[in-house]
Amino acid sequence: MDELDQKILAALAADSSTSTSRLARRFKVARSTVQARIERMERTGVIAGYTVKLGQALTLRRIRATVLLQVEPRTTPGILQRLKPMPEIETVHTTTGRVDLILSVTAETTQELDGVLDRIGTITGVRSSESMIHLATKFDRAV
């Protein structure tokens, strides 16, 4: 990746809906150059996909929590299989240390969050869980 690739990537990371024409004008290159570079980055896996970032109007109304799970040895694949269909679970990370999995969970209400936590707790192989409700985001580098 050269400097132009990095600029295109940064611009798309900030706003994936930016047109190739607009990127070409911004970086003073031909539109076909931008298009070819984007296609190459998609083909090589540098760009894995495009997504929508939810605005504050929606995200401020949602309750977010981090859930730490300790699991029985060799039960992680089965647990992941049970977690995957739950739309409230946005991400699952394996980790080192006293916990085995870190989950990012969102819900519309505390009752919905409580229900998700109950379902997680009943999964065979989950030894223990600890949940931390997010209160306020002070800054977010991903946005």
Side-chain angles (χ1 to χ4, degrees), residues 119-141:
R119 287 193 321 241
I120 292 168
T122 64
I123 296 173
T124 302
V126 172
R127 184 181 291 166
S128 69
S129 68
E130 178 181 350
S131 57
M132 297 169 282
I133 296 175
H134 301 198
L135 299 177
T137 302
K138 300 303 184 183
F139 66 87
D140 184 351
R141 294 191 201 287

mmCIF file of all heavy atoms in Angstrom, residues 119-141:
data_model
loop_
_atom_site.group_PDB
_atom_site.id
_atom_site.type_symbol
_atom_site.label_atom_id
_atom_site.label_comp_id
_atom_site.label_asym_id
_atom_site.label_seq_id
_atom_site.Cartn_x
_atom_site.Cartn_y
_atom_site.Cartn_z
ATOM 1 N N ARG A 119 -30.211 -15.513 29.114
ATOM 2 C CA ARG A 119 -29.995 -16.534 28.064
ATOM 3 C C ARG A 119 -28.537 -16.934 27.996
ATOM 4 O O ARG A 119 -28.213 -18.114 27.838
ATOM 5 C CB ARG A 119 -30.473 -16.011 26.707
ATOM 6 C CG ARG A 119 -31.983 -15.945 26.597
ATOM 7 C CD ARG A 119 -32.453 -15.731 25.167
ATOM 8 N NE ARG A 119 -31.628 -14.820 24.417
ATOM 9 C CZ ARG A 119 -32.037 -13.668 23.890
ATOM 10 N NH1 ARG A 119 -33.281 -13.283 24.028
ATOM 11 N NH2 ARG A 119 -31.220 -12.901 23.212
ATOM 12 N N ILE A 120 -27.631 -15.963 28.120
ATOM 13 C CA ILE A 120 -26.196 -16.264 28.101
ATOM 14 C C ILE A 120 -25.843 -17.178 29.279
ATOM 15 O O ILE A 120 -25.108 -18.151 29.129
ATOM 16 C CB ILE A 120 -25.356 -14.968 28.130
ATOM 17 C CG1 ILE A 120 -25.527 -14.190 26.826
ATOM 18 C CG2 ILE A 120 -23.891 -15.276 28.406
ATOM 19 C CD1 ILE A 120 -24.967 -12.773 26.863
ATOM 20 N N GLY A 121 -26.390 -16.860 30.440
ATOM 21 C CA GLY A 121 -26.079 -17.631 31.643
ATOM 22 C C GLY A 121 -26.546 -19.069 31.602
ATOM 23 O O GLY A 121 -26.018 -19.917 32.321
ATOM 24 N N THR A 122 -27.546 -19.377 30.764
ATOM 25 C CA THR A 122 -28.062 -20.749 30.700
ATOM 26 C C THR A 122 -27.331 -21.614 29.673
ATOM 27 O O THR A 122 -27.618 -22.803 29.575
ATOM 28 C CB THR A 122 -29.570 -20.764 30.346
ATOM 29 O OG1 THR A 122 -29.747 -20.223 29.032
ATOM 30 C CG2 THR A 122 -30.379 -19.980 31.359
ATOM 31 N N ILE A 123 -26.395 -21.035 28.927
ATOM 32 C CA ILE A 123 -25.671 -21.805 27.914
ATOM 33 C C ILE A 123 -24.747 -22.811 28.598
ATOM 34 O O ILE A 123 -23.972 -22.454 29.491
ATOM 35 C CB ILE A 123 -24.872 -20.872 26.982
ATOM 36 C CG1 ILE A 123 -25.818 -19.967 26.198
ATOM 37 C CG2 ILE A 123 -23.983 -21.674 26.028
ATOM 38 C CD1 ILE A 123 -25.117 -18.893 25.376
ATOM 39 N N THR A 124 -24.842 -24.054 28.167
ATOM 40 C CA THR A 124 -23.988 -25.107 28.712
ATOM 41 C C THR A 124 -22.524 -24.758 28.476
ATOM 42 O O THR A 124 -22.133 -24.420 27.362
ATOM 43 C CB THR A 124 -24.312 -26.455 28.043
ATOM 44 O OG1 THR A 124 -25.687 -26.753 28.267
ATOM 45 C CG2 THR A 124 -23.437 -27.569 28.600
ATOM 46 N N GLY A 125 -21.736 -24.807 29.532
ATOM 47 C CA GLY A 125 -20.310 -24.501 29.442
ATOM 48 C C GLY A 125 -19.951 -23.137 29.993
ATOM 49 O O GLY A 125 -18.785 -22.867 30.254
ATOM 50 N N VAL A 126 -20.941 -22.245 30.161
ATOM 51 C CA VAL A 126 -20.660 -20.931 30.759
ATOM 52 C C VAL A 126 -20.552 -21.135 32.259
ATOM 53 O O VAL A 126 -21.509 -21.509 32.930
ATOM 54 C CB VAL A 126 -21.760 -19.892 30.420
ATOM 55 C CG1 VAL A 126 -21.543 -18.613 31.205
ATOM 56 C CG2 VAL A 126 -21.773 -19.607 28.926
ATOM 57 N N ARG A 127 -19.335 -20.915 32.761
ATOM 58 C CA ARG A 127 -19.055 -21.122 34.188
ATOM 59 C C ARG A 127 -19.532 -19.922 34.998
ATOM 60 O O ARG A 127 -20.155 -20.074 36.037
ATOM 61 C CB ARG A 127 -17.566 -21.347 34.379
ATOM 62 C CG ARG A 127 -17.167 -21.667 35.803
ATOM 63 C CD ARG A 127 -15.680 -21.850 35.937
ATOM 64 N NE ARG A 127 -15.270 -23.075 35.245
ATOM 65 C CZ ARG A 127 -14.016 -23.374 34.961
ATOM 66 N NH1 ARG A 127 -13.043 -22.550 35.283
ATOM 67 N NH2 ARG A 127 -13.722 -24.492 34.347
ATOM 68 N N SER A 128 -19.219 -18.713 34.518
ATOM 69 C CA SER A 128 -19.653 -17.500 35.219
ATOM 70 C C SER A 128 -19.644 -16.333 34.243
ATOM 71 O O SER A 128 -18.996 -16.373 33.196
ATOM 72 C CB SER A 128 -18.747 -17.194 36.418
ATOM 73 O OG SER A 128 -17.464 -16.807 35.963
ATOM 74 N N SER A 129 -20.393 -15.291 34.608
ATOM 75 C CA SER A 129 -20.422 -14.083 33.786
ATOM 76 C C SER A 129 -20.398 -12.858 34.685
ATOM 77 O O SER A 129 -20.822 -12.909 35.849
ATOM 78 C CB SER A 129 -21.664 -14.052 32.895
ATOM 79 O OG SER A 129 -22.828 -13.895 33.670
ATOM 80 N N GLU A 130 -19.879 -11.794 34.128
ATOM 81 C CA GLU A 130 -19.863 -10.500 34.812
ATOM 82 C C GLU A 130 -20.222 -9.465 33.766
ATOM 83 O O GLU A 130 -19.650 -9.458 32.669
ATOM 84 C CB GLU A 130 -18.470 -10.215 35.387
ATOM 85 C CG GLU A 130 -18.339 -8.879 36.067
ATOM 86 C CD GLU A 130 -16.929 -8.623 36.601
ATOM 87 O OE1 GLU A 130 -16.095 -9.551 36.606
ATOM 88 O OE2 GLU A 130 -16.667 -7.466 36.983
ATOM 89 N N SER A 131 -21.187 -8.617 34.061
ATOM 90 C CA SER A 131 -21.595 -7.610 33.082
ATOM 91 C C SER A 131 -21.336 -6.209 33.622
ATOM 92 O O SER A 131 -21.468 -5.958 34.819
ATOM 93 C CB SER A 131 -23.067 -7.779 32.722
ATOM 94 O OG SER A 131 -23.882 -7.710 33.867
ATOM 95 N N MET A 132 -20.938 -5.348 32.708
ATOM 96 C CA MET A 132 -20.672 -3.958 33.039
ATOM 97 C C MET A 132 -21.457 -3.087 32.058
ATOM 98 O O MET A 132 -21.222 -3.145 30.851
ATOM 99 C CB MET A 132 -19.178 -3.658 32.924
ATOM 100 C CG MET A 132 -18.344 -4.466 33.906
ATOM 101 S SD MET A 132 -16.587 -4.371 33.573
ATOM 102 C CE MET A 132 -16.474 -5.508 32.208
ATOM 103 N N ILE A 133 -22.403 -2.315 32.570
ATOM 104 C CA ILE A 133 -23.203 -1.447 31.722
ATOM 105 C C ILE A 133 -22.426 -0.171 31.457
ATOM 106 O O ILE A 133 -21.866 0.448 32.377
ATOM 107 C CB ILE A 133 -24.557 -1.135 32.379
ATOM 108 C CG1 ILE A 133 -25.356 -2.431 32.519
ATOM 109 C CG2 ILE A 133 -25.324 -0.096 31.578
ATOM 110 C CD1 ILE A 133 -26.653 -2.282 33.263
ATOM 111 N N HIS A 134 -22.367 0.222 30.179
ATOM 112 C CA HIS A 134 -21.674 1.454 29.797
ATOM 113 C C HIS A 134 -22.563 2.640 30.146
ATOM 114 O O HIS A 134 -23.746 2.649 29.810
ATOM 115 C CB HIS A 134 -21.404 1.481 28.290
ATOM 116 C CG HIS A 134 -20.578 0.321 27.804
ATOM 117 N ND1 HIS A 134 -19.943 0.347 26.608
ATOM 118 C CD2 HIS A 134 -20.276 -0.890 28.353
ATOM 119 C CE1 HIS A 134 -19.288 -0.790 26.406
ATOM 120 N NE2 HIS A 134 -19.476 -1.554 27.466
ATOM 121 N N LEU A 135 -21.998 3.652 30.784
ATOM 122 C CA LEU A 135 -22.756 4.832 31.166
ATOM 123 C C LEU A 135 -22.643 5.947 30.131
ATOM 124 O O LEU A 135 -23.636 6.462 29.648
ATOM 125 C CB LEU A 135 -22.318 5.327 32.548
ATOM 126 C CG LEU A 135 -22.534 4.324 33.686
ATOM 127 C CD1 LEU A 135 -22.002 4.894 34.991
ATOM 128 C CD2 LEU A 135 -24.003 3.953 33.811
ATOM 129 N N ALA A 136 -21.418 6.339 29.788
ATOM 130 C CA ALA A 136 -21.222 7.425 28.825
ATOM 131 C C ALA A 136 -19.953 7.163 28.033
ATOM 132 O O ALA A 136 -18.988 6.616 28.563
ATOM 133 C CB ALA A 136 -21.109 8.765 29.550
ATOM 134 N N THR A 137 -19.970 7.560 26.769
ATOM 135 C CA THR A 137 -18.776 7.453 25.939
ATOM 136 C C THR A 137 -18.057 8.791 25.980
ATOM 137 O O THR A 137 -18.617 9.809 25.567
ATOM 138 C CB THR A 137 -19.151 7.092 24.486
ATOM 139 O OG1 THR A 137 -19.870 5.858 24.508
ATOM 140 C CG2 THR A 137 -17.926 6.981 23.611
ATOM 141 N N LYS A 138 -16.853 8.793 26.493
ATOM 142 C CA LYS A 138 -16.092 10.036 26.602
ATOM 143 C C LYS A 138 -15.379 10.366 25.292
ATOM 144 O O LYS A 138 -15.252 11.532 24.945
ATOM 145 C CB LYS A 138 -15.071 9.946 27.741
ATOM 146 C CG LYS A 138 -15.713 9.696 29.090
ATOM 147 C CD LYS A 138 -16.735 10.761 29.437
ATOM 148 C CE LYS A 138 -17.298 10.538 30.827
ATOM 149 N NZ LYS A 138 -18.320 11.485 31.177
ATOM 150 N N PHE A 139 -14.894 9.357 24.575
ATOM 151 C CA PHE A 139 -14.425 9.515 23.194
ATOM 152 C C PHE A 139 -14.392 8.156 22.549
ATOM 153 O O PHE A 139 -14.382 7.141 23.225
ATOM 154 C CB PHE A 139 -13.060 10.234 23.099
ATOM 155 C CG PHE A 139 -11.898 9.484 23.673
ATOM 156 C CD1 PHE A 139 -11.180 8.567 22.909
ATOM 157 C CD2 PHE A 139 -11.496 9.704 24.981
ATOM 158 C CE1 PHE A 139 -10.105 7.878 23.437
ATOM 159 C CE2 PHE A 139 -10.417 9.024 25.516
ATOM 160 C CZ PHE A 139 -9.720 8.102 24.739
ATOM 161 N N ASP A 140 -14.455 8.163 21.212
ATOM 162 C CA ASP A 140 -14.497 6.918 20.455
ATOM 163 C C ASP A 140 -13.663 7.105 19.203
ATOM 164 O O ASP A 140 -14.066 7.821 18.294
ATOM 165 C CB ASP A 140 -15.938 6.577 20.098
ATOM 166 C CG ASP A 140 -16.099 5.242 19.393
ATOM 167 O OD1 ASP A 140 -15.055 4.635 19.016
ATOM 168 O OD2 ASP A 140 -17.232 4.799 19.208
ATOM 169 N N ARG A 141 -12.501 6.498 19.142
ATOM 170 C CA ARG A 141 -11.622 6.643 17.994
ATOM 171 C C ARG A 141 -12.163 5.936 16.749
ATOM 172 O O ARG A 141 -11.749 6.234 15.641
ATOM 173 C CB ARG A 141 -10.232 6.092 18.309
ATOM 174 C CG ARG A 141 -9.517 6.885 19.381
ATOM 175 C CD ARG A 141 -8.065 6.478 19.480
ATOM 176 N NE ARG A 141 -7.464 6.803 20.744
ATOM 177 C CZ ARG A 141 -7.132 8.020 21.152
ATOM 178 N NH1 ARG A 141 -7.372 9.041 20.382
ATOM 179 N NH2 ARG A 141 -6.561 8.206 22.319
#
